[in-house]
Amino acid sequence: MPVEKTDPIALPQADEITSIDITIGTSTVNPLGKAWISEVIADLSGAEPTKKESVQDVPGVENYIKIDFQFKIGTSTLFAYADSGQYYIE
């Protein structure tokens, strides 16, 4: 029996994003450039949805990457992490 999948993560358009902050542990980087932002969105767009649901505000794993999309008004956050040999974005 095939595993049901949820809808993919709704990602913003690259031109809507003013910057991206990437935090790993206590270090944050903020690379600049629309080409870099477009590449990040393209890479994240390739992720396949799963049926696994997020039940916490932060992943329940020790190591994760926090990705903050900055807009003219507001911020949106994604998390990337590995769990049991699989990689997830939520």
Side-chain angles (χ1 to χ4, degrees):
M1 178 151 88
V3 175
E4 291 183 39
K5 295 184 178 184
T6 60
D7 293 330
I9 293 174
L11 296 170
Q13 297 296 314
D15 60 353
E16 298 173 338
I17 301 168
T18 57
S19 68
I20 298 176
D21 296 331
I22 299 177
T23 304
I24 302 172
T26 59
S27 299
T28 299
V29 294
N30 182 308
L32 300 175
K34 287 293 182 182
W36 188 85
I37 290 171
S38 294
E39 187 175 324
V40 169
I41 294 297
D43 288 345
L44 292 173
S45 295
E48 292 185 31
T50 68
K51 188 132 174 93
K52 186 175 179 179
E53 292 185 36
S54 175
V55 293
Q56 300 173 341
D57 290 338
V58 218
V61 295
E62 187 173 322
N63 298 309
Y64 58 85
I65 300 169
K66 181 180 176 192
I67 305 165
D68 290 312
F69 295 106
Q70 307 294 332
F71 303 98
K72 288 181 182 174
I73 300 176
T75 301
S76 181
T77 301
L78 291 178
F79 294 96
Y81 62 95
D83 186 22
S84 301
Q86 296 290 318
Y87 294 93
Y88 297 95
I89 300 169
E90 61 179 54

